[in-house]
Amino acid sequence: MNTFLITGATGGLGSSVIKALSKDVNPNDIAVLVRDAQSEKAKEYKAQGFDLRIADYNDADALTKAFQGIEVLYFVSANDIFSRDAQHKNVIEAAEKAKIKHVIYTSAGRKDESQESPVAAVMDAHIKTEKWLQESEMLYTILRHNLYAEVIPMFLGDKESLLNSKTVFLPTGDGETAFASRNDLAEAGAVVLKNHKAHQNKIYTLGGLEAVDFTKIAAILSEITREEISYVSPDVDTFKTTMTSYGVPEDAIGMMLSFSLGIAQGEFDSERKDLEKLLGRKPQTLKSFLSEVYA
């Protein structure tokens, strides 16, 4: 029997969790879930001695087969927002059929769970999945990840783009966010996996130690780049029009707008110390992370 199975093994979070976990656990004791056994990453895992399992979140039967003999499942949430409900239901039902004992789920931090929230479309599946887990007979650990620090360069672009505009242009108002790096969140996940019995039926909110607004982020970027970076928080219509004029796809604009308004509303300003406690150290500072991207 394999103790652990990590889903989303070829993605950023899943691969980082596998890397962190395998520092202390033999790869032969770790199963990794991939969709394509012929992908370069899958072949790499197999060569390293990991137990390769093949399934897609859309295929309930394949998931049930892939989950056989697993004790603890690290369940990375799906990235297809519009298909998440069905996909997550498939994962949980397959886990129950395969008699998995404990599911560790990567959820998302939030404050407003109503349909009026700017991030309701993103959070809805997380809220449902948490409920399904809590109503199941399996043990659970829910890791509510705050926004990744990686969201910032995703929204602002690379160093060249930032220095061309010298402007942070997002409708986030004076809202603050406790950004956390993906690597820190992955390391925390590996800690929970290795000590899973100590984290049964618990919920953690994982974010950086300090919640900052984009005025502060612009100041940090100015210091890093040695250029004056200004922050402009436009109204919704101006943001849409401006992004459209630069050829940004409509769905990308919608996603940026949703999270920006969520930030403005304070959805992600939690300064809980759960991440620090799990890591046993202070998480990476936002300035350190941004220096790696923009220095």
Side-chain angles (χ1 to χ4, degrees):
M1 171 182 265
N2 287 84
T3 302
F4 311 110
L5 185 145
I6 317 299
T7 75
T10 59
L13 179 62
S15 60
S16 295
V17 171
I18 293 164
K19 181 179 180 181
L21 183 62
S22 60
K23 290 178 181 178
D24 300 305
V25 178
N26 192 306
N28 292 327
D29 296 324
I30 303 172
V32 298
L33 190 74
V34 301
R35 287 178 291 183
D36 180 7
Q38 300 306 313
S39 70
E40 289 303 313
K41 191 65 176 177
K43 291 177 181 178
E44 183 181 320
Y45 282 137
K46 189 171 184 178
Q48 291 171 342
F50 292 98
D51 179 3
L52 205 63
R53 306 288 179 99
I54 316 300
D56 185 290
Y57 283 178
N58 293 308
D59 190 335
D61 291 337
L63 286 169
T64 302
K65 181 179 179 182
F67 291 166
Q68 295 298 316
I70 300 299
E71 182 180 353
V72 183
L73 173 69
Y74 184 88
F75 172 17
V76 177
S77 58
N79 56 19
D80 184 345
I81 293 173
F82 301 105
S83 301
R84 269 182 178 169
D85 282 16
Q87 291 177 338
H88 286 192
K89 192 72 171 174
N90 283 343
V91 172
I92 291 173
E93 290 179 351
E96 288 183 302
K97 288 179 181 177
K99 302 190 184 305
I100 284 176
K101 294 179 181 178
H102 188 168
V103 177
I104 298 165
Y105 173 61
T106 65
S107 190
R110 72 272 175 182
K111 290 185 175 178
D112 182 0
E113 295 193 350
S114 74
Q115 290 302 307
E116 282 68 49
S117 168
V119 288
V122 177
M123 297 301 168
D124 188 55
H126 288 303
I127 294 167
K128 288 177 180 176
T129 304
E130 289 184 14
K131 185 172 183 289
W132 293 332
L133 275 173
Q134 291 169 318
E135 291 175 347
S136 76
E137 295 183 358
M138 297 180 291
L139 299 166
Y140 64 84
T141 306
I142 294 168
L143 305 178
R144 290 178 176 169
H145 290 176
N146 210 325
L147 290 188
Y148 290 3
E150 284 80 357
V151 166
I152 297 172
M154 185 172 73
F155 283 179
L156 304 187
D158 59 16
K159 182 177 180 179
E160 182 180 357
S161 299
L162 180 64
L163 293 181
N164 280 338
S165 68
K166 296 185 181 179
T167 304
V168 173
F169 187 78
L170 290 169
T172 51
D174 58 1
E176 298 181 333
T177 301
F179 291 101
S181 74
R182 185 171 59 201
N183 283 340
D184 276 350
L185 294 170
E187 185 179 328
V191 168
V192 172
L193 281 162
K194 287 182 289 186
N195 305 283
H196 56 91
K197 291 183 180 178
H199 302 288
Q200 294 173 353
N201 296 344
K202 292 186 178 180
I203 299 174
Y204 298 106
T205 297
L206 305 182
L209 289 181
E210 180 186 13
V212 299
D213 62 18
F214 273 87
T215 298
K216 176 69 176 291
I217 290 171
I220 293 172
L221 291 170
S222 297
E223 184 178 349
I224 292 169
T225 62
R226 299 181 182 180
E227 296 281 356
E228 186 62 34
I229 306 297
S230 61
Y231 166 54
V232 176
S233 180
D235 60 56
V236 170
D237 288 339
T238 300
F239 180 73
K240 287 181 177 178
T241 301
T242 303
M243 291 296 103
T244 300
S245 72
Y246 281 101
V248 179
E250 185 177 349
D251 57 347
I253 295 173
M255 184 62 67
M256 292 172 68
L257 186 58
S258 174
F259 278 105
S260 292
L261 296 178
I263 290 170
Q265 185 172 286
E267 287 294 297
F268 312 108
D269 63 4
S270 171
E271 291 185 331
R272 289 269 298 272
K273 302 295 190 291
D274 293 355
L275 181 58
E276 180 182 11
K277 290 175 183 176
L278 288 175
L279 293 174
R281 61 169 175 80
K282 292 192 180 299
Q284 183 181 23
T285 65
L286 187 59
K287 182 179 179 180
S288 169
F289 173 84
L290 291 175
S291 293
E292 293 175 359
V293 178
Y294 292 107

mmCIF file of all heavy atoms in Angstrom, residues 75-99:
data_model
loop_
_atom_site.group_PDB
_atom_site.id
_atom_site.type_symbol
_atom_site.label_atom_id
_atom_site.label_comp_id
_atom_site.label_asym_id
_atom_site.label_seq_id
_atom_site.Cartn_x
_atom_site.Cartn_y
_atom_site.Cartn_z
ATOM 1 N N PHE A 75 -5.301 16.353 -2.621
ATOM 2 C CA PHE A 75 -6.222 16.670 -3.699
ATOM 3 C C PHE A 75 -6.053 18.139 -4.098
ATOM 4 O O PHE A 75 -6.500 19.047 -3.406
ATOM 5 C CB PHE A 75 -7.643 16.368 -3.202
ATOM 6 C CG PHE A 75 -8.772 16.785 -4.086
ATOM 7 C CD1 PHE A 75 -8.600 17.102 -5.421
ATOM 8 C CD2 PHE A 75 -10.074 16.827 -3.574
ATOM 9 C CE1 PHE A 75 -9.658 17.487 -6.223
ATOM 10 C CE2 PHE A 75 -11.151 17.198 -4.362
ATOM 11 C CZ PHE A 75 -10.942 17.544 -5.681
ATOM 12 N N VAL A 76 -5.382 18.346 -5.245
ATOM 13 C CA VAL A 76 -5.198 19.694 -5.783
ATOM 14 C C VAL A 76 -6.467 20.081 -6.533
ATOM 15 O O VAL A 76 -6.907 19.366 -7.441
ATOM 16 C CB VAL A 76 -3.983 19.749 -6.730
ATOM 17 C CG1 VAL A 76 -3.848 21.143 -7.338
ATOM 18 C CG2 VAL A 76 -2.711 19.370 -5.984
ATOM 19 N N SER A 77 -7.055 21.201 -6.177
ATOM 20 C CA SER A 77 -8.303 21.619 -6.811
ATOM 21 C C SER A 77 -8.105 21.834 -8.306
ATOM 22 O O SER A 77 -7.028 22.221 -8.766
ATOM 23 C CB SER A 77 -8.821 22.901 -6.164
ATOM 24 O OG SER A 77 -7.876 23.937 -6.262
ATOM 25 N N ALA A 78 -9.168 21.560 -9.071
ATOM 26 C CA ALA A 78 -9.121 21.679 -10.532
ATOM 27 C C ALA A 78 -8.988 23.141 -10.943
ATOM 28 O O ALA A 78 -9.442 24.051 -10.236
ATOM 29 C CB ALA A 78 -10.377 21.072 -11.136
ATOM 30 N N ASN A 79 -8.376 23.388 -12.100
ATOM 31 C CA ASN A 79 -8.221 24.767 -12.557
ATOM 32 C C ASN A 79 -9.291 25.187 -13.563
ATOM 33 O O ASN A 79 -9.321 26.344 -13.985
ATOM 34 C CB ASN A 79 -6.819 24.989 -13.147
ATOM 35 C CG ASN A 79 -6.497 24.033 -14.279
ATOM 36 O OD1 ASN A 79 -7.400 23.436 -14.860
ATOM 37 N ND2 ASN A 79 -5.222 23.874 -14.588
ATOM 38 N N ASP A 80 -10.171 24.268 -13.937
ATOM 39 C CA ASP A 80 -11.271 24.599 -14.850
ATOM 40 C C ASP A 80 -12.474 25.004 -14.006
ATOM 41 O O ASP A 80 -13.231 24.159 -13.520
ATOM 42 C CB ASP A 80 -11.607 23.392 -15.730
ATOM 43 C CG ASP A 80 -12.676 23.700 -16.772
ATOM 44 O OD1 ASP A 80 -13.360 24.741 -16.644
ATOM 45 O OD2 ASP A 80 -12.851 22.898 -17.704
ATOM 46 N N ILE A 81 -12.651 26.296 -13.811
ATOM 47 C CA ILE A 81 -13.670 26.799 -12.893
ATOM 48 C C ILE A 81 -15.066 26.307 -13.258
ATOM 49 O O ILE A 81 -15.868 25.975 -12.379
ATOM 50 C CB ILE A 81 -13.636 28.337 -12.862
ATOM 51 C CG1 ILE A 81 -12.325 28.814 -12.222
ATOM 52 C CG2 ILE A 81 -14.823 28.900 -12.101
ATOM 53 C CD1 ILE A 81 -12.118 30.305 -12.292
ATOM 54 N N PHE A 82 -15.356 26.228 -14.540
ATOM 55 C CA PHE A 82 -16.719 25.889 -14.955
ATOM 56 C C PHE A 82 -17.014 24.394 -14.863
ATOM 57 O O PHE A 82 -18.167 23.984 -14.918
ATOM 58 C CB PHE A 82 -16.964 26.401 -16.382
ATOM 59 C CG PHE A 82 -16.793 27.888 -16.503
ATOM 60 C CD1 PHE A 82 -15.674 28.427 -17.112
ATOM 61 C CD2 PHE A 82 -17.732 28.757 -15.966
ATOM 62 C CE1 PHE A 82 -15.495 29.802 -17.214
ATOM 63 C CE2 PHE A 82 -17.577 30.130 -16.052
ATOM 64 C CZ PHE A 82 -16.449 30.649 -16.676
ATOM 65 N N SER A 83 -15.987 23.566 -14.718
ATOM 66 C CA SER A 83 -16.188 22.116 -14.606
ATOM 67 C C SER A 83 -15.864 21.583 -13.215
ATOM 68 O O SER A 83 -15.967 20.387 -12.969
ATOM 69 C CB SER A 83 -15.315 21.383 -15.639
ATOM 70 O OG SER A 83 -15.620 21.788 -16.949
ATOM 71 N N ARG A 84 -15.467 22.467 -12.322
ATOM 72 C CA ARG A 84 -14.981 22.043 -11.014
ATOM 73 C C ARG A 84 -15.983 21.220 -10.211
ATOM 74 O O ARG A 84 -15.612 20.228 -9.596
ATOM 75 C CB ARG A 84 -14.586 23.266 -10.177
ATOM 76 C CG ARG A 84 -13.144 23.676 -10.304
ATOM 77 C CD ARG A 84 -12.885 24.862 -9.393
ATOM 78 N NE ARG A 84 -11.503 25.277 -9.423
ATOM 79 C CZ ARG A 84 -11.057 26.404 -8.899
ATOM 80 N NH1 ARG A 84 -11.908 27.215 -8.306
ATOM 81 N NH2 ARG A 84 -9.779 26.707 -8.955
ATOM 82 N N ASP A 85 -17.234 21.640 -10.196
ATOM 83 C CA ASP A 85 -18.222 20.934 -9.377
ATOM 84 C C ASP A 85 -18.221 19.441 -9.679
ATOM 85 O O ASP A 85 -18.064 18.605 -8.780
ATOM 86 C CB ASP A 85 -19.627 21.501 -9.610
ATOM 87 C CG ASP A 85 -19.865 22.798 -8.873
ATOM 88 O OD1 ASP A 85 -18.874 23.421 -8.434
ATOM 89 O OD2 ASP A 85 -21.036 23.210 -8.737
ATOM 90 N N ALA A 86 -18.417 19.110 -10.946
ATOM 91 C CA ALA A 86 -18.501 17.707 -11.348
ATOM 92 C C ALA A 86 -17.173 16.996 -11.134
ATOM 93 O O ALA A 86 -17.138 15.842 -10.681
ATOM 94 C CB ALA A 86 -18.926 17.601 -12.814
ATOM 95 N N GLN A 87 -16.081 17.666 -11.459
ATOM 96 C CA GLN A 87 -14.761 17.048 -11.309
ATOM 97 C C GLN A 87 -14.451 16.752 -9.845
ATOM 98 O O GLN A 87 -13.967 15.671 -9.506
ATOM 99 C CB GLN A 87 -13.692 17.959 -11.907
ATOM 100 C CG GLN A 87 -13.759 18.058 -13.425
ATOM 101 C CD GLN A 87 -12.726 19.024 -13.988
ATOM 102 O OE1 GLN A 87 -12.231 19.903 -13.284
ATOM 103 N NE2 GLN A 87 -12.404 18.873 -15.259
ATOM 104 N N HIS A 88 -14.721 17.692 -8.977
ATOM 105 C CA HIS A 88 -14.439 17.494 -7.552
ATOM 106 C C HIS A 88 -15.331 16.412 -6.952
ATOM 107 O O HIS A 88 -14.888 15.630 -6.100
ATOM 108 C CB HIS A 88 -14.615 18.810 -6.791
ATOM 109 C CG HIS A 88 -13.509 19.787 -7.035
ATOM 110 N ND1 HIS A 88 -13.330 20.928 -6.275
ATOM 111 C CD2 HIS A 88 -12.498 19.796 -7.946
ATOM 112 C CE1 HIS A 88 -12.268 21.582 -6.705
ATOM 113 N NE2 HIS A 88 -11.763 20.916 -7.733
ATOM 114 N N LYS A 89 -16.571 16.369 -7.402
ATOM 115 C CA LYS A 89 -17.478 15.311 -6.942
ATOM 116 C C LYS A 89 -16.929 13.946 -7.356
ATOM 117 O O LYS A 89 -16.962 12.983 -6.571
ATOM 118 C CB LYS A 89 -18.868 15.534 -7.543
ATOM 119 C CG LYS A 89 -19.964 14.674 -6.916
ATOM 120 C CD LYS A 89 -20.289 15.148 -5.518
ATOM 121 C CE LYS A 89 -21.534 14.446 -4.984
ATOM 122 N NZ LYS A 89 -21.788 14.781 -3.562
ATOM 123 N N ASN A 90 -16.412 13.872 -8.576
ATOM 124 C CA ASN A 90 -15.813 12.616 -9.058
ATOM 125 C C ASN A 90 -14.649 12.185 -8.161
ATOM 126 O O ASN A 90 -14.525 11.004 -7.808
ATOM 127 C CB ASN A 90 -15.288 12.786 -10.490
ATOM 128 C CG ASN A 90 -16.384 12.758 -11.527
ATOM 129 O OD1 ASN A 90 -17.497 12.313 -11.260
ATOM 130 N ND2 ASN A 90 -16.082 13.239 -12.718
ATOM 131 N N VAL A 91 -13.789 13.122 -7.806
ATOM 132 C CA VAL A 91 -12.618 12.801 -6.986
ATOM 133 C C VAL A 91 -13.043 12.276 -5.618
ATOM 134 O O VAL A 91 -12.539 11.255 -5.144
ATOM 135 C CB VAL A 91 -11.708 14.037 -6.823
ATOM 136 C CG1 VAL A 91 -10.600 13.752 -5.810
ATOM 137 C CG2 VAL A 91 -11.100 14.427 -8.169
ATOM 138 N N ILE A 92 -13.986 12.956 -4.996
ATOM 139 C CA ILE A 92 -14.398 12.551 -3.642
ATOM 140 C C ILE A 92 -15.115 11.208 -3.658
ATOM 141 O O ILE A 92 -14.855 10.332 -2.815
ATOM 142 C CB ILE A 92 -15.278 13.647 -3.015
ATOM 143 C CG1 ILE A 92 -14.405 14.873 -2.721
ATOM 144 C CG2 ILE A 92 -15.942 13.152 -1.724
ATOM 145 C CD1 ILE A 92 -15.168 16.084 -2.269
ATOM 146 N N GLU A 93 -15.997 11.006 -4.636
ATOM 147 C CA GLU A 93 -16.699 9.725 -4.717
ATOM 148 C C GLU A 93 -15.734 8.584 -5.029
ATOM 149 O O GLU A 93 -15.858 7.484 -4.475
ATOM 150 C CB GLU A 93 -17.810 9.808 -5.768
ATOM 151 C CG GLU A 93 -18.971 10.705 -5.331
ATOM 152 C CD GLU A 93 -20.065 10.805 -6.368
ATOM 153 O OE1 GLU A 93 -19.857 10.318 -7.510
ATOM 154 O OE2 GLU A 93 -21.138 11.358 -6.050
ATOM 155 N N ALA A 94 -14.754 8.845 -5.886
ATOM 156 C CA ALA A 94 -13.755 7.818 -6.206
ATOM 157 C C ALA A 94 -12.906 7.504 -4.980
ATOM 158 O O ALA A 94 -12.568 6.335 -4.724
ATOM 159 C CB ALA A 94 -12.867 8.293 -7.360
ATOM 160 N N ALA A 95 -12.562 8.521 -4.222
ATOM 161 C CA ALA A 95 -11.770 8.314 -3.003
ATOM 162 C C ALA A 95 -12.531 7.451 -2.003
ATOM 163 O O ALA A 95 -11.953 6.568 -1.350
ATOM 164 C CB ALA A 95 -11.396 9.663 -2.381
ATOM 165 N N GLU A 96 -13.827 7.692 -1.889
ATOM 166 C CA GLU A 96 -14.643 6.883 -0.977
ATOM 167 C C GLU A 96 -14.718 5.431 -1.451
ATOM 168 O O GLU A 96 -14.581 4.498 -0.649
ATOM 169 C CB GLU A 96 -16.046 7.480 -0.867
ATOM 170 C CG GLU A 96 -16.096 8.783 -0.076
ATOM 171 C CD GLU A 96 -17.505 9.319 0.085
ATOM 172 O OE1 GLU A 96 -18.175 9.551 -0.940
ATOM 173 O OE2 GLU A 96 -17.936 9.492 1.231
ATOM 174 N N LYS A 97 -14.907 5.248 -2.755
ATOM 175 C CA LYS A 97 -14.988 3.889 -3.302
ATOM 176 C C LYS A 97 -13.672 3.144 -3.122
ATOM 177 O O LYS A 97 -13.664 1.924 -2.893
ATOM 178 C CB LYS A 97 -15.370 3.940 -4.788
ATOM 179 C CG LYS A 97 -16.815 4.331 -5.045
ATOM 180 C CD LYS A 97 -17.098 4.373 -6.540
ATOM 181 C CE LYS A 97 -18.533 4.799 -6.814
ATOM 182 N NZ LYS A 97 -18.808 4.908 -8.274
ATOM 183 N N ALA A 98 -12.561 3.866 -3.243
ATOM 184 C CA ALA A 98 -11.238 3.249 -3.117
ATOM 185 C C ALA A 98 -10.816 3.095 -1.655
ATOM 186 O O ALA A 98 -9.731 2.590 -1.370
ATOM 187 C CB ALA A 98 -10.201 4.080 -3.868
ATOM 188 N N LYS A 99 -11.685 3.563 -0.747
ATOM 189 C CA LYS A 99 -11.452 3.443 0.701
ATOM 190 C C LYS A 99 -10.206 4.208 1.165
ATOM 191 O O LYS A 99 -9.457 3.747 2.036
ATOM 192 C CB LYS A 99 -11.378 1.973 1.129
ATOM 193 C CG LYS A 99 -12.644 1.183 0.792
ATOM 194 C CD LYS A 99 -12.653 -0.183 1.423
ATOM 195 C CE LYS A 99 -13.887 -0.983 0.989
ATOM 196 N NZ LYS A 99 -15.162 -0.287 1.259
#
